[in-house]
Amino acid sequence: MIRSWLIILVAISAGCLLAFKFGADSGYVLIHFQGWIFETSVLALALLIILGVPIGIYLLRTFFGVLNLPSAVSQAAERRKIDKARKSFESGMLKLMEGHWKQAEIELVRRASDHHAPHLNYLAAARAAQRIGADERRDHYLRLASRDEPTLAFAAGLTEAELQRERGEFEMAKNTALKLRETNPKHPYPVELLSEIHYSLGEWPELQGLLSHTEKLAAPAPARRRELMQKALFERMRIAVDGAHLDELKQLWRKTPANLKIDPALRSQYVHGLAQLNAHAEANALITKTLAQEWDADLVNVFGQLHAGDSLGHLASIEQWLSKYGEKPELLVTAGRACLSNKLWGKARSYLESAVKQDPTPAAYLELARLCEQTQNPEEASEFMRKGLELASK
């Protein structure tokens, strides 16, 4: 509007300038067209053109503006509606982040149909409904999220599985995640969800199988993947030992990845299982191999309890470790126990007393008590036994 008036003002100014310029000789113009005769001066014609063109443009724009008025009003109303929907969505998301679940749900749903991406409203509203325990509304919002656009069903399914797991509905969450995995086997997030669900349900074979077959997917994160695999193998080994299934225990260890075989907790579980199931030779070999490379106090304790076919060789290995790692309390107790087996009473006492000086433990006192019993010192044996029991009770 302002631009049009400026054009008219410029036109009038130009007309005045022409009138001043050609005032003395205005010229003559004659136009004859189909019986019509139009006579005027050049100045008048120029003024007519200069003034008529912008006025005509203005009138035409006004005319078409009136014709388009209903459409313009409708577009303005639509813009206001969209703007209100956007502000409502932003307000709902802010309330969701602030933990105002009820207000968030109301705000997110109120103008969802006017929002350019209503599925986002419904997915967020499902999370809000979950927080206040409105499971039916939660499921309803999830259905609405994928109702108009089938491609959004995957996102809605992921949200559903997340919320089901969060509520402790693990079986339902597992079924949802399995369907998602069938839909898109290469998507990493269903694998991550399934891993956590198997972990929560204690489904260790399923967890191990899933992680073994999805190594190329970046889910779960490397540290969490390793942690879950360790847990699955640890629990499967424990179950095999509890069920006295030695072959299953050995098979699990054979299939354990090399980078996990060096994990102390997993290795210790396997060695303890071998010892408990009387596979002493295998336990002896693994302990000897490990201690040749690194120190492991727990393996030393297990080694001292193994049945040794060659008792002197057994003692020689322990003394070799003493030379390599120093007089650690665990090694001293194990050495004392090996000397007892070989009836080397003086050497056994020396090792055990050194262990007690460094770190008195019930195990060390028990071995000293056994030594005193075998060397006919019952009173001293009773004293060591009493000290061991007192220490154990603490």
Side-chain angles (χ1 to χ4, degrees):
M1 179 66 73
I2 295 174
R3 189 173 60 180
S4 299
W5 283 108
L6 285 174
I7 292 172
I8 292 173
L9 182 60
V10 171
I12 293 172
S13 300
C16 293
L17 181 63
L18 287 172
F20 175 77
K21 182 72 175 173
F22 298 103
D25 184 9
S26 60
Y28 176 74
V29 176
L30 173 65
I31 299 174
H32 182 273
F33 179 73
Q34 293 185 354
W36 291 86
I37 297 174
F38 176 74
E39 296 179 72
T40 186
S41 64
V42 173
L43 179 59
L45 180 62
L47 289 173
L48 179 63
I49 293 171
I50 291 172
L51 293 173
V53 170
I55 292 173
I57 292 173
Y58 174 73
L59 291 173
L60 284 173
R61 290 184 63 181
T62 302
F63 174 73
F64 286 114
V66 171
L67 289 179
N68 292 328
L69 184 60
S71 176
V73 171
S74 177
Q75 289 176 3
E78 184 68 22
R79 283 195 298 272
R80 283 195 299 272
K81 185 169 67 173
I82 291 173
D83 190 52
K84 287 181 180 179
R86 177 183 59 79
K87 290 180 179 178
S88 179
F89 173 74
E90 292 172 355
S91 174
M93 289 300 295
L94 181 60
K95 291 184 185 301
L96 184 66
M97 299 300 177
E98 292 174 345
H100 301 305
W101 317 123
K102 185 62 179 178
Q103 298 94 317
E105 181 188 358
I106 293 171
E107 199 65 43
L108 287 164
V109 175
R110 188 160 60 96
R111 298 186 183 277
S113 59
D114 297 333
H115 194 239
H116 72 280
H119 57 281
L120 297 179
N121 290 64
Y122 292 127
L123 289 175
R127 293 185 181 278
Q130 163 98 343
R131 295 294 185 180
I132 57 178
D135 296 347
E136 290 185 5
R137 291 206 304 275
R138 175 200 67 187
D139 296 339
H140 176 64
Y141 295 145
L142 290 172
R143 287 192 295 270
L144 289 176
S146 58
R147 177 188 59 184
D148 299 325
E149 185 58 56
T151 56
L152 300 173
F154 194 81
L158 286 174
T159 303
E160 183 178 12
E162 275 185 345
L163 297 179
Q164 287 169 339
R165 184 171 77 90
E166 188 178 293
R167 291 277 294 186
E169 300 167 350
F170 295 118
E171 286 295 340
M172 294 174 65
K174 181 172 71 172
N175 292 334
T176 304
L178 286 171
K179 290 177 183 176
L180 293 169
R181 181 147 166 71
E182 289 176 4
T183 303
N184 189 349
K186 295 184 179 181
H187 197 291
Y189 196 42
V191 173
E192 183 174 341
L193 285 171
L194 271 175
S195 299
E196 297 296 343
I197 292 166
H198 287 320
Y199 175 83
S200 298
L201 290 171
E203 296 176 341
W204 311 119
E206 291 83 353
L207 176 58
Q208 183 188 356
L210 177 66
L211 295 174
S212 299
H213 290 92
T214 57
E215 292 180 356
K216 295 182 179 180
L217 295 179
R224 181 58 176 164
R225 170 180 278 272
R226 180 185 177 88
E227 183 182 353
L228 290 171
M229 180 62 89
Q230 285 174 330
K231 181 64 174 178
L233 287 167
F234 187 93
E235 292 298 329
R236 291 197 69 187
M237 286 182 187
R238 180 186 60 78
I239 293 169
V241 172
D242 290 346
H245 301 305
L246 179 60
D247 290 340
E248 183 180 345
L249 178 66
K250 291 180 179 179
Q251 186 178 15
L252 283 168
W253 183 253
R254 281 195 297 270
K255 292 183 177 180
T256 299
N259 66 325
L260 290 179
K261 284 184 175 180
I262 60 175
D263 176 70
L266 203 58
R267 184 176 58 204
S268 178
Q269 173 73 350
Y270 178 59
V271 169
H272 276 278
L274 290 174
Q276 187 172 335
L277 298 179
N278 297 318
H280 290 207
E282 290 90 337
N284 194 325
L286 181 55
I287 293 172
T288 303
K289 179 181 177 182
T290 301
L291 288 172
Q293 300 171 350
E294 61 179 291
W295 170 252
D296 191 315
D298 188 58
L299 295 190
V300 169
N301 290 329
V302 177
F303 189 80
Q305 300 170 17
L306 295 176
H307 172 71
D310 180 7
S311 58
L312 289 175
H314 198 73
L315 177 59
S317 296
I318 298 169
E319 291 180 333
Q320 185 179 1
W321 297 332
L322 279 167
S323 175
K324 183 174 183 178
Y325 297 112
E327 293 189 348
K328 294 182 178 294
E330 299 87 357
L331 268 175
L332 290 170
V333 172
T334 302
R337 190 177 287 128
C339 288
L340 279 174
S341 298
N342 286 283
K343 299 183 178 180
L344 302 172
W345 314 125
K347 210 171 184 181
R349 189 176 188 103
S350 176
Y351 281 134
L352 292 171
E353 287 180 344
S354 296
V356 167
K357 287 180 182 179
Q358 283 193 43
D359 182 24
T361 62
Y365 281 121
L366 175 63
E367 296 303 329
L368 277 170
R370 286 177 55 207
L371 170 63
C372 292
E373 286 177 352
Q374 293 185 36
T375 55
Q376 308 302 317
N377 291 309
E379 292 182 1
E380 200 174 13
S382 298
E383 179 65 16
F384 284 133
M385 185 66 72
R386 182 185 62 78
K387 289 180 178 179
L389 289 173
E390 287 179 356
L391 197 59
S393 65
K394 294 179 182 179

